[in-house]
Amino acid sequence: MTKNRSGGGDPVRTLELLWREVGAPEPSAGRRGPRQGLTVGAVVGAAVELADAESLDALTMRALAQRLGVTPMTVYTYVPGKDELLDLMLDEVYGRMELAPFGPDEPWRDRVTRVATDNRDLLARHPWIAEMSVTRPPLGPGVIGKYEHELAAFEGIGLPDAERDAALTHLLGFVHSTAWAATDSAELNSRQSDDDWWAEVGPLLARVIDGERYPLAKRVGEAAGAYNTDMVWAFGLQCVLEGLERWADRHAGGADPR
């Protein structure tokens, strides 16, 4: 079970913070404690910067307070705790995405590919998102705006609404899993490159892996080589697109796609 998940805080308080109106008093107004000239947005922005630089494990309310130059108790007057903070951070970075409208004649494969690529780029900028469980996403303006935009990518395919949601969930699940693997691979390579690792373990593996006992593992493993993030991405995305097209075609033909 992941220790970092969305939807883990007070749902009402979280929604109040997510949907705070521009120009309205900060939700902490009227509470005791110095305001220090901060805003909820400034606190969330600093938290995103901290997570971008050091990961979610490094994000604590104390570390955030140090970054802001205030006491931890001051931070708590703006955000009740880390659970609510994670929701605000996720909604914030989603709200920053540049969601260019889809063209009326843009093929659905191009639209869906753009959604996948935009999310891959987002996760490259904010790797900590891949560390989070978002089964219950924060329903703030950033999340809802992103959801509205991405659902439109599937317009005209012929999927019922519930399956359109499932298709988007399937696509984003693929993006998140490959992004997490790419981040993990990059972290491992920062300690020791794949080439150096294979040079060190290769001779031993050549002695212990019996090609007659493990013929497929030996042949395919040698062909695949080190983990290739771009190849895995391109192949996986094509599988997702082909599967969606096949599913939609069966709908169009009146067959039960299951």
Side-chain angles (χ1 to χ4, degrees):
M1 298 293 288
T2 178
K3 62 182 178 180
N4 296 305
R5 62 171 58 253
S6 61
D10 180 328
V12 174
R13 181 75 177 121
T14 299
L15 283 173
E16 290 175 346
L17 288 166
L18 287 168
W19 289 94
R20 61 193 185 279
E21 295 181 5
V22 177
E26 288 287 344
S28 58
R31 296 187 177 191
R32 293 183 178 181
R35 290 179 55 80
Q36 302 289 335
L38 289 179
T39 63
V40 174
V43 171
V44 174
V48 170
E49 292 175 358
L50 179 56
D52 286 348
E54 302 185 38
S55 82
L56 286 184
D57 286 340
L59 177 63
T60 65
M61 301 302 272
R62 181 174 297 278
L64 179 57
Q66 291 176 345
R67 192 178 189 89
L68 290 165
V70 299
T71 66
M73 287 307 299
T74 299
V75 176
Y76 282 109
T77 65
Y78 293 88
V79 181
K82 186 173 179 179
D83 286 337
E84 292 83 1
L85 180 61
L86 290 175
D87 282 351
L88 290 164
M89 291 166 60
L90 193 62
D91 194 71
E92 171 72 16
V93 296
Y94 282 178
R96 294 178 188 174
M97 293 180 71
E98 295 183 7
L99 304 175
F102 300 116
D105 299 322
E106 188 174 359
W108 74 264
R109 276 177 169 259
D110 292 349
R111 299 196 304 264
V112 172
T113 296
R114 182 141 61 92
V115 169
T117 303
D118 287 348
N119 277 276
R120 188 191 192 196
D121 293 344
L122 176 75
L123 291 167
R125 294 192 300 272
H126 308 288
W128 52 269
I129 298 176
E131 301 176 38
M132 289 182 61
S133 168
V134 291
T135 304
R136 184 178 293 171
L139 301 180
V143 169
I144 297 299
K146 179 176 180 290
Y147 182 58
E148 175 77 14
H149 169 77
E150 292 174 346
L151 287 174
F154 298 87
E155 190 70 30
I157 300 179
L159 295 175
D161 285 349
E163 291 185 3
R164 186 187 298 212
D165 174 86
L168 176 59
T169 300
H170 177 58
L171 176 71
L172 296 182
F174 159 73
V175 175
H176 277 241
S177 65
T178 53
W180 183 90
T183 298
D184 188 58
S185 177
E187 197 275 332
L188 284 174
N189 271 279
S190 69
R191 302 180 194 175
Q192 182 182 35
S193 72
D194 282 337
D195 288 342
D196 289 344
W197 187 84
W198 280 109
E200 184 175 340
V201 305
L204 175 60
L205 290 174
R207 291 197 305 270
V208 300
I209 295 183
D210 184 349
E212 293 185 0
R213 185 176 182 183
Y214 308 109
L216 288 176
K218 184 175 178 61
R219 191 186 79 225
V220 175
E222 289 176 350
Y227 184 80
N228 186 321
T229 56
D230 290 335
M231 188 278 287
V232 170
W233 166 262
F235 178 80
L237 181 56
Q238 285 304 308
C239 288
V240 172
L241 294 172
E242 294 286 344
L244 288 174
E245 184 168 31
R246 178 74 176 271
W247 187 270
D249 286 347
R250 294 184 67 178
H251 260 305
D256 184 345
R258 290 168 292 184

